[in-house]
Amino acid sequence: MTIATRLGRPSADDNISTDAIASEGATSTNPASTPHLAETPTPVKRRYAGLILAVVLITQLMIVLDSAIVNIALPDIGSQLHMTSTSLSWIVNAYTLAFGGLLMLGARAGDILSRRNTFLAGLTIFVAASLSGGVAQDQTLLLASRALQGVGAALLAPSALAILMSIYTTGRDRTRAIGYYTVVSASGAAIGLIAGGVLTSVASWRWVFFVNVPIGIVVLAIGARVLPRAKLQRGSVDAVGAVLVTLGMTSLVYGFIRAASDGWGDTGTLAAFVAGVVLLAAFVSIELRVAAPIMPLRLFADRDRAAAYVARLLLVAGSMGTFFFMSQYMQIVLGWSAWQSGLAFLPIPVCVFTASQLVSRVIAVRVSTKVIAAVGTLLSGIGLALMATLGAHSTYADMIPGLVIFGLGNGIAFVPLTTAGLSGVAPADTSVASGLVNVTQQLGGALGLAILVTVFSTAGSNPAVAPGSPAHAVDVFVNGADRGFLVAGGMLAVAFVLVALVMRRPSRAASAAAPVDGDGFDAAELMAIETATEALAEA
């Protein structure tokens, strides 16, 4: 029985109801949609619904695969292109900065230019960037390709889920569609870890980029045929705000990474920090004055919501070090192959998926958001602290407790922090608030990795190990990685304190008053599922 068959009939007749699809404008999980500017799709033939579902699921799989595969390939990329650990961090950050900084702009573009057009444009960019990344002979082209992949993903991701929500409008069918979307994300993270190791070991690191090309071309051809067309809508796009926040965050990240190599007193380092602060101040000024801000600052007025945004940023910032350092630790220090390292990471996505499902289906109805988020951030921090105890002669058995506890903590924390980030939001701001949740995740990851790489590079080595000896390079890496894990754990400790002291326990009345969409779905629950899958992608 196919997925499309199990989902049942999207409508009672041969076409999906135009009215049902149009109503999605008021309840979309698209990060920047507004009801009065929602696109008006044309009817979609029922036989295309299954193909549209396949297009969306395969697209999500590509995005998840891309994140997981690249982390495993970092040691090989660094060796062939002569990149240091500091410069390797840009392979991750070039993508996340472009993705996070332009995500809400991409969602807004979907509202105005139609989600079909935005989806196809984003996929085209993503595939072209994957091809150029695969053929790159130097780090300049590779980093430019990664940034371009982020641009494509920023256009692609919000439109993909919005299209899925518009096609499956009834409670039962939408629940199943979201379920498949979540399963693809969870399995995609695991597949990516294994595939990245196998491709890197058997073929080359270049295939972690090339793998997107044939898949993307097929999806592009099918999508152009079956995705619903829509009338273009008039509306404004806060392009200036999107550019300012992206450049501002990029400048701050560059400042931290430059500090790792040239020191905190370096003129270029100081200039980067000053430029970042000025650009972000200009961004805030623009958002206060523009008619349709890409990030309405009123969303930060509620203390629970603001605390959830900051805690989520810290959670992702601290978590990024796990994948960046551990993939290199397994291959550089322990001498494992890329595919062995990929398999070794499997406890994380499995635990994230298991814990997030338990929270969303069982625990959340019995325990307050504050308590769940506090437990999740605390467990994540404990997992990172355990990783900081690893040494040059540690075994996989020594790693498992940290990986499992870290994965469970992430799975527990992401859902309540997402729900808190959307709780109490006015209906007109629900989509924008959901976009802000994802933006804090992407930008928090980039900023966190930059800080942790700086800590890693300035940690030094054990004086007892003679410079130039075979053990010196290993000792330098282990000492730096352990210091990075400790600082990452400190970020999670701050997140725990923030949740415990700032967030309030929601009353039953407040919970009952949570906004519900037209099909009886809590908007926060829908976004919790989406953003939990984003967390799996980071694994």
Side-chain angles (χ1 to χ4, degrees), residues 170-488:
T170 65
R172 181 190 64 182
D173 290 343
R174 178 176 286 189
T175 299
R176 289 179 178 173
I178 293 175
Y180 287 122
Y181 184 89
T182 306
V183 169
V184 163
S185 297
S187 60
I191 291 170
L193 291 169
I194 299 172
V198 171
L199 289 173
T200 302
S201 298
V202 175
S204 163
W205 64 263
R206 298 183 183 280
W207 278 94
V208 305
F209 294 97
F210 286 149
V211 71
N212 292 323
V213 178
I215 299 174
I217 290 175
V218 172
V219 173
L220 191 62
I222 297 175
R225 171 70 176 171
V226 303
L227 292 180
R229 298 180 181 273
K231 298 178 181 178
L232 302 185
Q233 302 291 322
R234 292 184 299 172
S236 59
V237 176
D238 183 17
V240 175
V243 171
L244 284 175
V245 71
T246 303
L247 292 179
M249 291 298 297
T250 301
S251 186
L252 288 181
V253 168
Y254 175 75
F256 279 110
I257 292 178
R258 187 178 177 104
S261 57
D262 299 330
W264 293 98
D266 175 70
T267 302
T269 300
L270 296 176
F273 283 126
V274 170
V277 171
V278 170
L279 288 167
L280 292 177
F283 167 71
V284 172
S285 177
I286 289 290
E287 298 306 282
L288 290 173
R289 294 185 286 110
V290 72
I294 202 167
M295 186 183 294
L297 299 180
R298 62 180 176 272
L299 292 175
F300 293 91
D302 181 84
R303 69 184 259 188
D304 289 343
R305 194 180 311 125
Y309 289 149
V310 177
R312 186 185 186 86
L313 185 146
L314 290 169
L315 175 63
V316 177
S319 299
M320 286 302 292
T322 301
F323 312 112
F324 184 79
F325 292 130
M326 285 296 283
S327 63
Q328 297 179 74
Y329 173 83
M330 293 172 183
Q331 297 176 61
I332 294 174
V333 178
L334 302 183
W336 294 357
S337 66
W339 73 268
Q340 287 175 316
S341 300
L343 286 173
F345 268 115
L346 283 181
I348 294 181
V350 170
C351 289
V352 169
F353 176 72
T354 302
S356 63
Q357 292 299 300
L358 285 174
V359 168
S360 60
R361 297 173 182 272
V362 180
I363 300 176
V365 298
R366 296 175 173 84
V367 183
S368 73
T369 297
K370 174 179 178 176
V371 171
I372 299 173
V375 170
T377 53
L378 180 61
L379 287 176
S380 296
I382 292 173
L384 288 169
L386 290 174
M387 293 179 200
T389 65
L390 297 176
H393 304 290
S394 296
T395 64
Y396 188 54
D398 298 323
M399 301 179 202
I400 289 179
L403 295 175
V404 169
I405 293 174
F406 172 80
L408 291 174
N410 268 233
I412 292 171
F414 270 112
V415 172
L417 288 178
T418 301
T419 303
L422 291 172
S423 179
V425 174
D429 288 335
T430 298
S431 295
V432 181
S434 66
L436 188 55
V437 168
N438 283 327
V439 169
T440 57
Q441 179 161 313
Q442 297 297 331
L443 298 185
L447 186 60
L449 183 57
I451 294 172
L452 296 177
V453 167
T454 302
V455 172
F456 167 85
S457 300
T458 56
S461 62
N462 187 344
V465 181
S469 66
H472 183 258
V474 171
D475 179 72
V476 168
F477 183 88
V478 171
N479 192 47
D482 286 348
R483 188 75 60 85
F485 283 131
L486 281 176
V487 173

